[in-house]
Amino acid sequence: MSGPVPWYDWIRAEEDPARVSEKPEALDDLVVLDVSQGHYGAFLCGTYLAELGAEVIKVEPPGGDPVRRWGPADATVNGTGLAFVAEARNKYCVTLNLGKPSGRRLLKGLAARADVLVEGFRPGYLDGLGLGYRQLARMNPRLVYVACSAYGQFGPDAPRQAAEYDLTDQALSGLMHVTGDPDGPPIRVGSWVSAYAQAAWATLGVLAALHWRESSGRGQMIDVSGVEALLRYMEYTVLLYHATGQVRGRMGLYELAVFPYTFVRVKDGYAFIAGYTDPNFQAICRVMGRPELAKDSRFSTTIQRTHPEHEILLRQEIEKWSITLTADEILEKVMADPGPGIIVFGPMNPPTRVLEEGHWWERGCFKKVRDPLYGELLLQMPAWRMTRTPPRLTWACRPVGFHNAHVYRKYFGFGPERLAELGDQGVL
Amino acid sequence: MRREYFRWAQRLFDPAQIHAKPEALNGIRVLDLSVIIFGPATADFLGELGAEVIKVELPGQGDVTRILGGASFFWKNVSLAFFPQNHSKYHVGIDMHKPAGQALIRKLAARSDVVIENFRAGTCEERFGIGYRQLREVNPRLIYVANTGFGQWGPFARGRASYDGLAQAVSGLTAITGTPGEHPTKIGNYIGDWYGASMSAVGALAALRWRDRTGEGQFVEMAQCEGLLRAMDWTWLYAGVTKRDRPRIGNRDPVFSPSGVYPCKDGFVALVAGSDAEFRGLLRMLGKTAWARDRRFRGVESRRKPESADALDGAIRAWCEKRTRRAIDSAARRFGVPVGRVMTGKDHYESQHLRARRSVWEYEDPVYGTMVEYGPAPKLSATPARIKWAGKPVGFHNEFVLKKILGLSDEEIQALAVEGVVGKWADRVGPKPPDGWQGEGSLL
């Protein structure tokens, strides 16, 4: 039974961002070692697991993870790169020099107690130090070990010792080949999407492996390539070639399979508009005051509308109308349309404009945090809502080695003198 | 030592052994009530990892992706857009608009672990009587995953629909992508759907881990716009610190320099030399070793300055223009410079590496014959993800699902079919089997 409270109000109360801390965390029984260095995808995998409640220990070389220096040239926070500060949340930051035998011994000690280890070194690097999956699994067979790289841990190109960059991932995945105008160059997506995709796959693999560990008692190794992380998002690109011999190319503002589904100019910028099934396209024509367009033989079926020349003509027809109105005015008309059919419409917002939309703030997508060490930070929040175990931000970012005392006491019983000694020896 | 590592890794992940190994999500049943990409892909990703996925479609037409596309996009009576998010599923045609169809859904949900839907907020409860609150009555352990554009609540949630392209626009991702001064760049794939689906699957498995620990189910939601907001690295922090928009900068990486996408004789390559070692390799590759002593290029910070980056860009461009992708790639390998060819579907199809990893996965399907698709992204050594069969016509597994899971008799199924509560494909391109299909692949 649905009960007396409407769904909207019920789910809003259940997911209330203000009450997240009252609830338990899905992964709060897990210990995760993030040993990544200079690898954003592996770093983000640790971040996702930390948002879902795991104790994530970020193990850095004494000079700090190179990612701490990554970010735009014209802004830093406390001298730290924005790319690091934005995503370092909830982690325990410790230092450990893997170049020294006693550093490696300590990492083994941590790995013996960990559920998950995430790394992003070139394939075989940690194995060469005696810290790879096969060595650690002998000591801890329940360990789930995730290795992130560009080409993966096996296959003909795996031995290629190239660092992984988002730009090369976007190229090799083919995402870049289909993004941009047909007569222009391939275009990269503006954020480091391959790292986010790689982290999502790595996290999915970890959680599946942990579920299997419940019944088998065994851990395993997971190999996640950032190229393939995006490749799996490339839809029918390879099937199209297999089935028809066509090579999917760049379509710019147009589409192979659905139309209208495009950007158009509006009085105050650009906006996205879509309605590609028949009832949805009829709704667009109705809102435009052009019901006859829906009956035009060039536009009346999904197949006709996706004819390349018809797409151009149809976009022109829509733009003739949209240019006379602001995005807000159009959205008002769209929302007032009684149906049938659904029109999908919204403005192309630059980030500062996105930040003015009350919707995201009300839903807790962003948070302004006053951090004792890093000052005022505007951060994006975890993407999932969960009624029982919501993910959360607990702290934003901590300096190199900030949690050394805590973590080394908790796991090894080290006190200040031992820590100082290890510091002097260059181990921490 | 290293060669030995790769031999070991090859054995550990040996693709020939995939089907001989267990599946991580074996025994987990997913009821997929969703359409198009975002929901079906979420279910598909769980299916790759071993969950049994039952895809419910409207009898007759089925999922709309079956009928999308221009003429050259149809193959064996179905749109190619249908396959990538519908592997290894059991296809059942149930009309959720009818009370008897809703009753079937409730029965299936009672026997499932995860339900996935991507209707507009509230639709499943208010219109179909199969929302989270109704289904948890019949199954308190249920994990109910709802995918939307804007979420279940909040000002935009009421009646506002979303597609991937809208999510790109309203999230700000479009605004930070592409070349300044030009029209907006629509990202070529449906990245908000796909990334959102991977994240949604992560949410489902996090909830499953909680259920493994406590027995409690829950409601999980993922909004496609919010997924993209989350995936914009330092965009928001930058706006907070500077009160400015992060600029669109085309194909240069915002942090690593030199970097860019360069035309060559037969296409394009992306090239990055972000570290000192990579930069030294680049200079050797370009034959510009004298630049190693040039002030403009000393250290990562100097190379990021626009004048330095422009100078390097020009040199790289001139060098690439005269060469093929293959020549650039092998030089880059020799000199330790990270280079990625801008690959096409044909390149993927022909890649020995991707095929050896089953990231390009060729298999035989009883209905569609030889298929070549993108395989699962994460490679799990003990419980590898896999593709078992291709998407099937509407209602293809009706008898199997209704008998095996719900225990219905032939007479009961027949009666439901007469009322239009359950059904199969209509005789039209999209939902129907290929011409000449003789019943191959049927389970009952």
Side-chain angles (χ1 to χ4, degrees):
Chain A
M1 298 313 295
S2 44
V5 186
W7 167 253
Y8 182 96
D9 300 314
W10 185 83
I11 191 62
R12 183 187 177 144
E14 285 289 312
E15 293 182 353
D16 186 355
R19 297 186 50 200
V20 160
S21 63
E22 296 168 19
K23 297 188 176 183
E25 296 177 273
L27 307 184
D28 66 1
D29 60 336
L30 296 181
V31 175
V32 176
L33 302 181
D34 166 5
V35 302
S36 65
Q37 289 179 26
H39 195 288
Y40 211 62
F43 172 63
L44 283 169
C45 174
T47 304
Y48 289 165
L49 292 167
E51 289 183 330
L52 289 161
E55 177 185 304
V56 178
I57 301 170
K58 175 152 184 57
V59 179
E60 298 178 72
D65 183 347
V67 178
R68 286 184 184 266
R69 295 191 294 275
W70 293 3
D74 62 338
T76 57
V77 179
N78 246 4
T80 307
L82 298 190
F84 186 84
V85 178
E87 294 287 4
R89 57 193 60 181
N90 301 6
K91 295 184 189 184
Y92 295 86
C93 295
V94 305
T95 52
L96 195 53
N97 187 346
L98 302 182
K100 296 204 177 268
S102 48
R104 295 197 285 274
R105 266 199 305 280
L106 285 173
L107 188 75
K108 282 185 182 169
L110 288 170
R113 295 155 172 86
D115 298 281
V116 179
L117 181 145
V118 190
E119 60 113 321
F121 292 101
R122 296 176 199 197
Y125 174 79
L126 283 183
D127 188 85
L129 293 179
L131 300 171
Y133 174 65
R134 56 180 163 168
Q135 296 102 355
L136 298 181
R138 252 178 249 138
M139 197 178 66
N140 177 4
R142 291 172 57 82
L143 184 69
V144 174
Y145 180 112
V146 196
C148 296
S149 62
Y151 295 92
Q153 307 293 317
F154 68 99
D157 290 344
R160 195 173 169 153
Q161 295 290 304
E164 177 156 36
Y165 286 102
D166 175 76
L167 193 71
T168 44
D169 282 354
Q170 288 197 31
L172 290 162
S173 70
L175 174 56
M176 201 179 265
H177 182 73
V178 300
T179 301
D181 286 322
D183 52 355
I187 298 288
R188 68 173 261 276
V189 178
S191 70
W192 288 331
V193 283
S194 73
Y196 282 88
Q198 187 174 34
W201 289 121
T203 309
L204 190 67
V206 165
L207 293 174
L210 289 168
H211 174 74
W212 188 68
R213 196 181 73 168
E214 292 291 314
S215 57
S216 68
R218 285 169 51 202
Q220 58 182 308
M221 183 168 175
I222 303 171
D223 167 14
V224 188
S225 142
V227 174
E228 293 164 358
L230 290 176
L231 190 75
R232 182 62 185 88
Y233 296 172
M234 289 311 299
E235 298 147 2
Y236 44 77
T237 308
V238 76
L239 180 60
L240 181 73
Y241 180 73
H242 165 71
T244 72
Q246 296 174 72
V247 176
R248 186 180 180 186
R250 290 185 282 288
M251 302 283 293
L253 296 171
Y254 302 96
E255 285 281 328
L256 211 49
V258 290
F259 210 79
Y261 189 105
T262 189
F263 286 104
V264 288
R265 279 178 298 162
V266 293
K267 212 186 216 175
D268 54 345
Y270 276 94
F272 177 82
I273 189 162
Y276 54 78
T277 61
D278 292 341
N280 296 353
F281 177 61
Q282 286 153 14
I284 290 182
C285 296
R286 186 168 60 237
V287 166
M288 285 166 56
R290 298 279 308 278
E292 81 287 355
L293 266 187
K295 298 192 192 80
D296 189 311
S297 64
R298 294 166 303 175
F299 309 133
S300 56
T301 66
T302 52
I303 290 185
Q304 280 300 321
R305 285 193 293 280
T306 48
H307 186 286
E309 285 164 28
H310 300 175
E311 288 196 2
I312 294 169
L313 288 173
L314 185 50
R315 187 170 166 276
Q316 284 168 354
E317 291 296 336
I318 298 171
E319 206 166 60
K320 271 189 225 163
W321 164 77
S322 64
I323 194 78
T324 65
L325 299 163
T326 66
D328 282 347
E329 286 163 351
I330 294 175
L331 185 60
E332 206 171 299
K333 284 177 188 286
V334 162
M335 296 306 288
D337 182 70
I342 298 164
I343 302 166
V344 171
F345 178 86
M348 184 197 94
N349 281 335
T352 49
R353 180 75 185 80
V354 175
L355 289 167
E356 290 167 12
E357 303 261 32
H359 179 79
W360 314 120
W361 289 96
E362 195 172 324
R363 284 179 57 79
C365 296
F366 299 113
K367 200 169 185 175
K368 277 187 182 140
V369 182
R370 183 167 286 285
D371 185 90
L373 299 174
Y374 292 85
E376 190 161 298
L377 305 173
L378 171 55
L379 297 172
Q380 63 266 44
M381 290 295 97
W384 316 272
R385 319 277 153 162
M386 302 171 73
T387 52
R388 186 69 189 126
T389 57
R392 66 203 64 178
L393 175 93
T394 43
W395 63 82
C397 178
R398 288 293 170 264
V400 183
F402 184 85
H403 294 106
N404 276 357
H406 171 72
V407 169
Y408 289 111
R409 179 185 300 278
K410 181 175 172 183
Y411 289 97
F412 300 103
F414 293 169
E417 277 182 31
R418 182 83 176 103
L419 283 182
E421 204 178 291
L422 289 166
D424 291 343
Q425 293 162 2
V427 176
L428 300 189
Chain B
M1 182 67 188
R2 208 156 253 167
R3 193 175 302 162
E4 202 268 313
Y5 171 78
F6 289 109
R7 274 203 300 270
W8 168 81
Q10 182 67 40
R11 280 196 307 277
L12 185 71
F13 290 99
D14 183 6
Q17 297 303 314
I18 287 175
H19 288 288
K21 292 181 181 179
E23 295 181 274
L25 301 184
N26 180 42
I28 296 296
R29 179 175 291 146
V30 175
L31 185 58
D32 172 12
L33 306 178
S34 62
V35 291
I36 314 184
I37 298 176
F38 188 13
T42 304
D44 197 65
F45 297 158
L46 298 176
E48 287 182 340
L49 289 160
E52 176 190 288
V53 181
I54 298 164
K55 181 178 174 80
V56 177
E57 293 176 86
L58 189 65
Q61 177 187 293
D63 189 327
V64 70
T65 51
R66 292 176 180 278
I67 61 160
L68 296 179
S72 68
F73 204 62
F74 284 85
W75 179 69
K76 302 195 180 187
N77 286 340
V78 60
S79 165
L80 291 168
F82 176 69
F83 291 105
Q85 61 280 0
N86 291 298
H87 301 102
S88 317
K89 298 183 181 181
Y90 293 96
H91 293 259
V92 58
I94 299 177
D95 189 346
M96 300 197 297
H97 300 81
K98 294 192 159 78
Q102 295 156 8
L104 288 177
I105 300 295
R106 280 192 286 273
K107 283 184 187 156
L108 285 169
R111 293 155 172 80
S112 296
D113 300 279
V114 179
V115 164
I116 296 170
E117 56 106 329
N118 62 350
F119 294 94
R120 279 190 285 174
T123 304
C124 273
E125 174 168 309
E126 290 152 11
R127 195 153 152 220
F128 302 133
I130 53 167
Y132 175 58
R133 290 191 288 182
Q134 289 126 340
L135 295 186
R136 71 172 182 171
E137 295 276 315
V138 297
N139 182 0
R141 288 170 54 84
L142 186 67
I143 294 161
Y144 185 110
V145 179
N147 292 345
T148 55
F150 295 100
Q152 297 290 315
W153 55 275
F156 291 164
R158 290 192 196 266
R160 194 164 172 198
S162 169
Y163 288 132
D164 180 89
L166 183 73
Q168 294 179 24
V170 302
S171 66
L173 185 56
T174 307
I176 67 165
T177 293
T179 312
E182 297 194 357
H183 67 70
T185 300
K186 197 152 56 59
I187 295 166
N189 72 342
Y190 302 115
I191 193 166
D193 283 326
W194 291 103
Y195 173 71
S198 336
M199 291 293 274
S200 187
V202 167
L205 290 195
L208 184 63
R209 167 132 192 103
W210 179 252
R211 197 184 78 166
D212 285 343
R213 295 169 65 195
T214 65
E216 292 176 354
Q218 61 181 311
F219 180 88
V220 177
E221 72 152 302
M222 182 72 206
Q224 149 187 95
C225 299
E226 295 176 355
L228 290 182
L229 287 181
R230 184 67 184 75
M232 288 166 64
D233 48 65
W234 44 269
T235 302
W236 312 111
L237 186 55
Y238 182 83
V241 170
T242 66
K243 313 296 173 207
R244 286 197 308 272
D245 285 319
R246 148 187 198 166
R248 279 206 268 172
I249 55 164
N251 281 337
R252 214 171 253 179
D253 185 276
V255 171
F256 306 107
S257 182
S259 62
V261 177
Y262 303 96
C264 39
K265 276 165 104 175
D266 58 348
F268 293 85
V269 295
L271 182 151
V272 188
S275 70
D276 287 333
E278 288 160 359
F279 183 65
R280 285 192 298 271
L282 174 71
L283 293 184
R284 284 204 304 278
M285 184 172 94
L286 299 179
K288 299 254 185 211
T289 43
W291 281 9
R293 291 179 300 277
D294 192 318
R295 266 205 138 92
R296 294 175 296 167
F297 310 130
R298 193 167 303 156
V300 175
E301 292 310 316
S302 331
R303 294 195 291 271
R304 277 178 81 172
K305 292 191 176 129
E307 341 46 283
S308 313
D310 288 345
L312 292 167
D313 210 45
I316 299 165
R317 185 172 296 272
W319 189 85
C320 287
E321 256 167 16
K322 296 194 279 280
R323 291 171 171 80
T324 62
R325 293 187 306 169
R326 181 192 286 268
I328 294 168
D329 197 55
S330 59
R333 205 179 280 226
R334 198 160 64 245
F335 291 103
V337 181
V339 153
R341 287 172 292 155
V342 176
M343 288 178 91
T344 67
K346 180 173 187 284
D347 295 326
H348 292 154
Y349 186 86
E350 291 167 353
S351 164
Q352 294 304 313
H353 177 69
L354 293 175
R355 281 181 177 252
R357 290 175 57 75
R358 299 295 186 274
S359 294
V360 169
W361 186 299
E362 181 166 332
Y363 64 104
E364 294 292 322
D365 181 79
V367 175
Y368 294 97
T370 304
M371 299 287 291
V372 179
E373 294 195 86
Y374 296 119
K379 316 295 181 193
L380 282 69
S381 64
T383 59
R386 65 201 70 174
I387 295 177
K388 294 174 215 166
W389 59 82
K392 292 284 173 289
V394 177
F396 192 84
H397 299 107
N398 272 3
E399 291 80 7
F400 179 77
V401 169
L402 296 171
K403 287 183 179 184
K404 183 165 187 290
I405 301 175
L406 296 185
L408 299 187
S409 66
D410 285 316
E411 294 72 27
E412 287 167 314
I413 295 170
Q414 183 55 31
L416 288 167
V418 169
E419 289 164 36
V421 173
V422 303
K424 303 197 179 195
W425 57 86
D427 183 22
R428 61 175 284 199
V429 169
K432 74 175 179 180
D435 294 340
W437 175 70
Q438 300 286 336
E440 296 88 347
S442 292
L443 292 177
L444 288 175

